[in-house]
Amino acid sequence: MNRDLVISLRRRLGGGLLAACVALGALALPAAGETGLEPLPLQFPEPTLRGTPEDLPSGPTIEPPPKEAPAPFLAPAGVKNVALGKPVTSSVRPFTGELSQLVDGKKEAFDSDAIEMRSRTQWVQVDLGAPHKLYAIVMWHDHRYIQITRDVILQVADDAEFTENVRTLFNNDMDDSSGLGVGTDKEYFETHYGKVVDAKGEVARYVRGYSRGTSLTALNCWQELEVYGIPVP
């Protein structure tokens, strides 16, 4: 990161918060030639009014439910949600909702905003239409309830069949039950804040998200997938 940018960020965030953002992966470092960082223009849905159960899963591989909003994720100015309204495919046809709802910008904790699919490992996939440089991907699986979504795996690739230049950005399948490799990321409770994954500036056209049920049900659910990036010239 260049010296002027570091100084600017220290003024805006303070040295401690800047270091924390970098350490937590909440700061997408710009590549050479990119200047100016801004918080992602995230619009969080309203939180569910349901209370937090007392018997939630816990352990060293599970992040506790967040008690406050996450630190802002910083990305180069001009980055926007390039998945909005793009074509969506999936491993199986949803029995509730339409695939287009995955990228319609609606992610409230309403049954009408949920896409539900049958059990076992299933995926949804967004075609961005052209290669984009990606900075962050934000997932909302199902924040109607306080729960953990199992085997959350997020990949990007150059082709729709996911055979070319496949890169895994997030994987918390620690027992490899989905067969895509052992993950090292922790499980987490996905609230209305969703889950922000650092895309590290990867260039890709296709984004695929896997899941394998939740701590409450064997079924799979998605509410929204946002991909923040810029077109590749």
Side-chain angles (χ1 to χ4, degrees):
M1 198 180 327
N2 67 57
R3 181 174 176 276
D4 292 341
L5 183 54
V6 170
I7 292 173
S8 173
L9 287 170
R10 286 186 184 282
R11 287 173 177 168
R12 292 163 57 185
L13 301 176
L17 182 54
L18 171 59
C21 287
V22 173
L24 293 172
L27 176 60
L29 302 182
E34 294 177 340
T35 59
L37 294 177
E38 296 179 349
L40 283 184
L42 293 178
Q43 298 292 323
F44 295 122
E46 293 294 322
T48 178
L49 298 179
R50 294 183 174 90
T52 302
E54 296 181 352
D55 55 346
L56 293 177
S58 62
T61 61
I62 300 175
E63 296 177 357
K67 296 182 179 179
E68 56 188 20
F73 188 99
L74 302 180
V79 166
K80 65 179 183 179
N81 176 18
V82 294
L84 189 65
K86 296 294 175 58
V88 179
T89 54
S90 64
S91 54
V92 292
R93 184 174 182 177
F95 61 82
T96 298
E98 300 293 336
L99 288 176
S100 59
Q101 292 178 260
L102 184 72
V103 292
D104 65 355
K106 300 177 182 177
K107 52 212 173 195
E108 297 296 334
F110 302 148
D111 293 347
S112 58
D113 283 343
I115 306 164
E116 294 180 295
M117 299 187 293
R118 71 188 189 199
S119 61
R120 304 190 67 79
T121 302
Q122 306 296 347
W123 53 260
V124 293
Q125 179 174 311
V126 180
D127 177 2
L128 301 178
H132 286 70
K133 188 169 187 177
L134 309 180
Y135 292 94
I137 299 174
V138 192
M139 302 177 286
W140 284 268
H141 285 91
D142 186 1
H143 67 94
R144 293 175 295 176
Y145 311 96
I146 304 299
Q147 59 185 319
I148 290 173
T149 298
R150 305 296 191 192
D151 295 9
V152 176
I153 302 169
L154 191 61
Q155 294 183 330
V156 297
D158 293 345
D159 67 320
E161 291 73 33
F162 271 67
T163 61
E164 298 178 8
N165 198 20
V166 179
R167 289 143 286 168
T168 299
L169 303 179
F170 186 93
N171 183 352
N172 65 10
D173 178 15
M174 295 186 178
D175 61 2
D176 197 21
S177 53
S178 287
L180 295 169
V182 176
T184 58
D185 294 297
K186 290 186 175 181
E187 292 187 308
Y188 60 94
F189 293 91
E190 199 174 279
T191 68
H192 66 296
Y193 297 124
K195 180 67 173 179
V196 181
V197 175
D198 188 349
K200 305 180 187 303
E202 293 284 355
V203 174
R205 171 173 172 174
Y206 298 91
V207 177
R208 181 181 286 188
Y210 294 85
S211 62
R212 188 181 175 90
T214 76
S215 54
L216 297 180
T217 175
L219 302 178
N220 291 279
C221 183
W222 281 87
Q223 291 172 316
E224 194 72 13
L225 181 68
E226 297 183 348
V227 181
Y228 287 87
I230 54 176
V232 175

